[in-house]
Amino acid sequence: MADDWHVLIEEDTRETRRAEGAELKLHRWTLVATHPVEGGQERALAVAEDAALHYLPAVLARHARSGDVPARRAFLTPDGSWLVWVGQRHRECHLRVTAARLVHVREESVAPPKSLKEKLRTALDGPEPFPAPWKPRS
């Protein structure tokens, strides 16, 4: 994992909600793709640039016709990530493409199921306390 590089593609997803007569447009970045890249950081940066210039979001691909080429503006930020605006007809999407090195992986672990005795004890004593919140080491 010392030189495990990936290209991450995030899309700005918008959800419209209505509350008390007001319309709220909620935006959030959603990770839509991770692509492992062999060849180190330079290769990952080249693949990220290619993705920024050619990746087509599903929302546009669904409505594209044969021969359609969407408008695209790609910006390279000082930190090396790409911010991309893609538009076609009345639809538009925003992307963030980044080359990133994988530095930590932890698999999920599930606690064993409680016995009947433990369930009864929890019902009488109340739930177990939550783990202490994270604090920086002093």
Side-chain angles (χ1 to χ4, degrees):
M1 195 181 332
D3 205 27
D4 195 5
W5 285 88
H6 292 257
V7 170
L8 311 177
I9 301 175
E10 300 169 277
E11 289 183 15
D12 179 20
T13 57
R14 187 182 83 191
E15 183 179 340
T16 303
R17 295 230 176 140
R18 289 168 183 77
E20 298 178 11
E23 187 175 275
L24 303 171
K25 295 180 181 177
L26 307 172
H27 291 265
R28 73 170 185 222
W29 288 101
T30 303
L31 184 64
V32 294
T34 61
H35 299 283
V37 176
E38 293 182 13
Q41 183 178 8
E42 294 79 25
R43 175 81 175 117
L45 291 172
V47 172
E49 180 178 359
D50 185 57
L53 299 178
H54 298 101
Y55 177 80
L56 187 62
V59 119
L60 294 181
R62 236 187 332 256
H63 300 285
R65 288 184 240 146
S66 170
D68 281 351
V69 178
R72 182 179 303 262
R73 288 188 216 127
F75 303 92
L76 180 60
T77 64
D79 68 350
S81 63
W82 290 84
L83 291 176
V84 183
W85 174 90
V86 183
Q88 190 166 29
R89 290 187 273 287
H90 62 280
R91 290 179 179 83
E92 64 180 48
C93 295
H94 306 99
L95 308 170
R96 183 167 43 203
V97 181
T98 311
R101 187 167 59 96
L102 182 63
V103 295
H104 178 77
V105 174
R106 180 185 352 196
E107 297 298 325
E108 175 184 20
S109 64
V110 180
K114 291 184 176 183
S115 67
L116 179 60
K117 185 177 182 180
E118 290 172 324
K119 288 179 184 177
L120 290 172
R121 184 176 295 135
T122 302
L124 294 174
D125 298 340
E128 296 175 9
F130 287 111
W134 178 85
K135 293 180 188 173
R137 295 179 183 163
S138 323

